[in-house]
Amino acid sequence: MSARFPVAVLVSGSGTNLQAILDQAHGRDGVEVVAVASSKADAHALERARQAEIDAAVFESSRYSDRSERDREMAAWLERHGVRLVVLAGFMELLTPGFLRNFPNAVINVHPALLPAFPGAHPIEDQLSYGVKVGGVTVHFVDEGVDSGPILLQEAVELPYTRSREEILDLLHTIEHKLLPRAIRLIALNAVRFDRDNPRLVRVDESLIEETAAVKGTK
Ligand code: GAR
């Protein structure tokens, strides 16, 4: 049996990625989602957390004197839950360096583009207006920059000819919902290592997840 690996998920919106984590990672390989924190009180993701009976709280920046204070309180709340990994699943705010120091190499983010292309808050619109033929999804560790931390998993997809943001979003969501739960399970399985000589280079031992899958008869 895998050791318990408590995870927190940070959200701001609909929470389809949170749902994918609950459906595909929660309860596997020791992963236990113990806390959901939202930057918005009306995020539908909070309802998903309630349905799954997971402790949820709102940390709206406007209610604090500044972002550092918000992040201090949020980090303290997460530490009380014994969190070992913080997952940004559509969390649309930057975290302060102080927050990140509380969880060294233990904050990951999902981004709907092939980084380092199209970082920032409007990656779908940016890819559409640039007219790229190949897009994708990146799961990366979070550092102090904007979508700039070491890359953990990436998957590319050919983008159809379309003017529809929704069409691209649906396509990329399908990939996110597979990649993000997988990244969490790989970290819980201790299958992720930073290269000794180049910490930007992340080595992932995918075989560990396959072995577990074979044992459990699930993937
Ligand atoms: C996801 O597509 C996620 O990649 C994106 O927000 C969406 C949240 O959807 N995040 C970013 O763009 C971060 N830069 P969800 O609330 O349904 O999971």
Side-chain angles (χ1 to χ4, degrees), residues 13-18 89-92 109-112 120 123 147 169 173 176:
S14 141
T16 64
N17 278 285
L18 168 64
F91 185 72
M92 300 308 273
N109 178 44
V110 63
H111 185 75
D147 301 321
L169 187 64
H173 260 162
E176 291 184 340

Side-chain angles (χ1 to χ4, degrees), residues 10-20 43-45 48 88-93 109-113 115 118-124 137-138 140 146-147 165 169 172-173 176-177 180:
L10 271 52
V11 295
S12 300
S14 141
T16 64
N17 278 285
L18 168 64
Q19 195 63 54
H44 180 62
R48 296 181 194 268
L88 312 191
F91 185 72
M92 300 308 273
E93 293 185 16
N109 178 44
V110 63
H111 185 75
L115 293 170
F118 306 110
H122 311 288
I124 308 278
V137 170
T138 304
H140 63 95
V146 176
D147 301 321
R165 179 188 183 279
L169 187 64
L172 296 179
H173 260 162
E176 291 184 340
H177 296 164
L180 188 56

Side-chain angles (χ1 to χ4, degrees), residues 9 38 200-201 203:
V9 183
S38 175
R200 282 215 58 95
L201 202 54
R203 194 167 127 198

Side-chain angles (χ1 to χ4, degrees), residues 107-169:
V107 183
I108 62 170
N109 178 44
V110 63
H111 185 75
L114 286 179
L115 293 170
F118 306 110
H122 311 288
I124 308 278
E125 292 79 354
D126 294 346
Q127 287 172 91
L128 253 180
S129 62
Y130 200 98
V132 288
K133 306 276 191 225
V134 176
V137 170
T138 304
V139 178
H140 63 95
F141 285 95
V142 175
D143 64 9
E144 293 178 15
V146 176
D147 301 321
S148 57
I151 290 170
L152 174 55
L153 295 177
Q154 245 176 348
E155 188 171 315
V157 64
E158 279 189 33
L159 300 181
Y161 175 79
T162 180
R163 294 191 183 94
S164 158
R165 179 188 183 279
E166 293 313 310
E167 201 178 329
I168 304 286
L169 187 64

